[in-house]
Amino acid sequence: MVTMEDVARLAGVSKMTVSNVVNNREGVSDLVRRRVLEAIRQSGYRLNVSARSLRSGRTGVIGLAVPEVDLPYFSHLATLVIDAARRRGHHVAIERTGAAEAGEADALAHSRVLQFDALILSAVVLDGLDERLTGAGCPVVMLGERDFGGRFDHVAMPNEEGMKAATVHLADQGCRRIGIVSGVPREGVNVMTRRYRGYLDGLAERGLSADPPLLFPLDGMTMEAGRDAAHRMVDSGREVDGVVAVTDTVALGVLRGLADRGLRVPDDIRLIGFDDVPESRFLVPSLSSVAPDHRWMAEKAVELAVQRVRAPLRPAEEHVAPFELVIRESTR
Amino acid sequence: MVTMEDVARLAGVSKMTVSNVVNNREGVSDLVRRRVLEAIRQSGYRLNVSARSLRSGRTGVIGLAVPEVDLPYFSHLATLVIDAARRRGHHVAIERTGAAEAGEADALAHSRVLQFDALILSAVVLDGLDERLTGAGCPVVMLGERDFGGRFDHVAMPNEEGMKAATVHLADQGCRRIGIVSGVPREGVNVMTRRYRGYLDGLAERGLSADPPLLFPLDGMTMEAGRDAAHRMVDSGREVDGVVAVTDTVALGVLRGLADRGLRVPDDIRLIGFDDVPESRFLVPSLSSVAPDHRWMAEKAVELAVQRVRAPLRPAEEHVAPFELVIRESTR
DNA sequence: TTGTAAGCGTTATCAC
DNA sequence: GTGATAACGCTTACAA
């Protein structure tokens, strides 16, 4: 392995000068710099990141913990985070948490092992996370779902506002019996409860009743769960003329489930999702959706992460992503 | 920061004994081990991976370079690779190459910077990669697309066999004018040329003419490109009663493009994809597809990577993934 | 079974 | 503007 020492010898300078050149530091004469660069080229030298990290205490890696990499929403988000980080000279290591508390706790444990400079945590369910977070061994930025009373940097989704807008939109399209396909709202603040609240707000805004609630519960946040929920919805015989799905991925399953029962969207029933994942505009029918500005979210999360590495003691910030309602065939 | 030294002092042993406990090595008495573990707990000690890597020369990280993280095929693959690697005690860092030669070369450059123990490269287009690969600074396992004359470990897709089977299937369903939506086959061996060859083989197998070719070229491998190709196909006025799409992602776009022109699948035209991504069974109509065993591929790729780290000089291995044809509504 | 010493490749500090 | 030296926290090799 070629080290700085070797390069230094080859260029006839000291190790330290090579280091200065490699790190683009001031105070190296042009002549020497050129000589060093040439020596680096000739020798095929490569910086040893482990050594640098050991010395500097920084790894240049930001962790991104998501429930599943292969759900469109998260993979899309991951892409954007990777880009945003790269622009700031950082790398991203993705942790899969599996949407379970165990997994999310695990990701934190791993963040210790892998020594991220910061961890961006897209937490869905984890309760009682707070105590553990403080022991993560690196700054944590919450992305998406939860509210931690201002103790952590937090990039929030417009969960309530978005869901409210979606529900109002369905009402304005003439729907009178609007159902929701979602996880059962649990105690504490999480994506399910917030979106469910937004749905209720939307109903209230248009004077529609939520009693008895038309909640069709979801077993997981997958396409499969969405399809099954749609089956149960139709089979229950309860009349529904519009559905808000808690995510686009779930909505994709609902679309399939409705087709299985011979119901057409939007003719028989209207459907709207949340996230505006890339495939939504290509589905048949194309899927209306609440579209948070994902790029903005990724950018902000990485920005917060990088800032906090530099200044660990700044007060925590909370930001809510902007969104727009994208109207497509499924609610026409 | 708490170091092994601190733990050692606390437990009344030497640094080395702590190291032995941390690494689960033999030859530490139970009593001492317990004392050390207790000291670790009390002190909140965490292993410093940079230091370990610097000393041992291994990082425990496998790089995975894919064109796009947010195409379903790659995100699914990434999930499986992450799982397989975790089972072997490795972490995965994902590099996005952007499906361009520049990107793929870049990933190699990064592999130098990040010091992966090995790099799994899902290369799509890169020609003249061979020379650069040897300078990657770590073992490289090719995943998916290309053939490198046996110089690299290689987990290949059943590109030709799969496409042939898909084409034969369409013929057996009664299709007589079978088109293909694919990138233009280029010089050299890549996914496009191999799949196109499989398509031609399939036509030949059933005595169907490939002259003039019903190739509808693709500008990229995206849903959008698939939709546009479908538009051009229909607008060209050329009669087509079956289509093989080069990937499921492209097929999803084709499905949309056909709907835009008022054509129904499978009634007016049958459609089959390649990859069997998770969403395919949930589409309406559900999408028939060539289903390579992705889990097998990920497992094999990681296995090869780990093996090669241990034994850099073993001769390269080449494996072709098994596959099956999944018949769904789109070709009924 | 446990301890000691050396060194992995880099950077911070301070001297020149 | 450049160089010598001393860490950073850990593991390998070997001694006790």
Side-chain angles (χ1 to χ4, degrees), chain B residues 208-246:
Chain B
L208 295 174
S209 164
D211 184 33
L214 287 168
L215 167 63
F216 300 95
L218 216 45
D219 183 23
M221 300 276 274
T222 61
M223 296 178 281
E224 193 164 17
R227 183 198 56 197
D228 294 348
H231 288 167
R232 285 195 303 272
M233 180 175 83
V234 176
D235 297 344
S236 76
R238 306 182 64 187
E239 195 192 322
V240 174
D241 56 9
V243 173
V244 294
V246 74

Side-chain angles (χ1 to χ4, degrees), chain B residues 72-91:
Chain B
Y73 163 64
F74 292 111
S75 63
H76 187 218
L77 197 63
T79 298
L80 296 171
V81 167
I82 290 171
D83 283 355
R86 176 178 295 185
R87 247 175 278 123
R88 290 176 170 76
H90 286 256
H91 271 264

Side-chain angles (χ1 to χ4, degrees), chain A residues 49 83 96 113 256 283 329, chain B residues 49 83 96 113 256 329:
Chain A
V49 183
D83 283 355
R96 205 169 63 80
V113 169
R256 179 68 236 185
L283 297 176
E329 293 166 354
Chain B
V49 183
D83 283 355
R96 204 170 62 83
V113 169
R256 179 68 236 185
E329 293 167 352

Side-chain angles (χ1 to χ4, degrees), chain A residues 283-328:
Chain A
L283 297 176
V284 183
S286 56
L287 182 66
S288 296
S289 191
V290 177
D293 190 334
H294 291 133
R295 184 171 302 278
W296 185 95
M297 290 176 66
E299 202 69 47
K300 187 57 89 180
V302 171
E303 184 189 317
L304 288 173
V306 171
Q307 270 182 21
R308 186 147 305 278
V309 171
R310 282 203 269 267
L313 297 179
R314 279 187 317 109
E317 292 181 25
E318 172 142 5
H319 300 270
V320 178
F323 76 96
E324 53 184 36
L325 209 55
V326 182
I327 311 301
R328 300 204 181 95

